[in-house]
Amino acid sequence: MKDIKNIYVVDDDSITLFGIRKMLSKISITSNVFEFNNGQVAIDDIVTRLRNGEPLPEVIFLDINMPILDGWGFLEEFIALDIAQPILINIITSSIDPNDREKWLSFRDKTHHHIDFVNKPIYKIELKDLHKMDLAS
């Protein structure tokens, strides 16, 4: 399994941010966990990293209901970027709307990135969950 250097958590809920940070610290995967409270700030950071040749996140935890740019808007902009390496995106949501699952399937089918759909609350993050693409190869 390859090392994970950067993880992004894009969520406006401080409790979710705290919980994911705590779960990631327990598996000691990386100390580079970057938090963004809306999709626009996160996509701007990714664009800047691309422009500057800096490392991109290997894993993104993405809420879909956020102010300014929600998770769906983030995904639209993200999959339009020229990013060769596949990135694991975990959509995390409290939504029970079947339309959100349909949107997830649509995005999943439009990209080479691995996009999962996980309902909140998240109780556990395991190392194998962050290496799903490695296991599929």
Side-chain angles (χ1 to χ4, degrees):
M1 287 186 201
K2 69 180 179 101
D3 290 338
I4 295 177
K5 294 179 181 54
N6 296 313
I7 296 176
Y8 280 21
V9 184
V10 186
D11 198 315
D12 63 326
D13 179 50
S14 60
I15 293 170
T16 300
L17 291 169
F18 174 80
I20 290 175
R21 186 174 45 248
K22 189 83 167 159
M23 285 181 264
L24 290 172
S25 72
K26 286 185 179 187
I27 58 175
S28 300
I29 189 76
T30 183
S31 59
N32 295 326
V33 178
F34 300 90
E35 298 173 358
F36 304 91
N37 63 5
N38 69 70
Q40 189 62 58
V41 178
I43 202 73
D44 289 347
D45 184 80
I46 290 170
V47 167
T48 299
R49 285 176 174 269
L50 274 172
R51 191 176 321 123
N52 296 335
E54 297 173 27
L56 297 175
E58 291 92 350
V59 177
I60 299 172
F61 290 91
L62 177 66
D63 187 21
I64 55 174
N65 295 311
M66 295 177 289
I68 303 173
L69 183 65
D70 67 12
W72 302 126
F74 172 90
L75 282 172
E76 283 287 341
E77 292 189 33
F78 181 81
I79 66 173
L81 296 172
D82 186 20
I83 300 173
Q85 79 183 59
I87 294 173
L88 173 60
I89 301 170
N90 293 294
I91 295 173
I92 51 174
T93 183
S94 55
S95 173
I96 56 170
D97 185 345
N99 291 324
D100 287 333
R101 289 193 74 81
E102 291 297 319
K103 283 182 185 177
W104 160 60
L105 292 170
S106 171
F107 277 105
R108 189 185 68 176
D109 294 341
K110 289 195 263 192
T111 185
H112 67 288
H113 301 292
H114 184 97
I115 305 177
D116 275 346
F117 192 92
V118 181
N119 283 100
K120 289 180 184 177
I122 299 173
Y123 295 105
K124 188 175 188 180
I125 298 173
E126 295 183 10
L127 195 55
K128 67 178 177 55
D129 297 328
L130 303 177
H131 288 284
K132 288 180 181 176
M133 293 182 299
D134 292 344
L135 297 173
S137 316

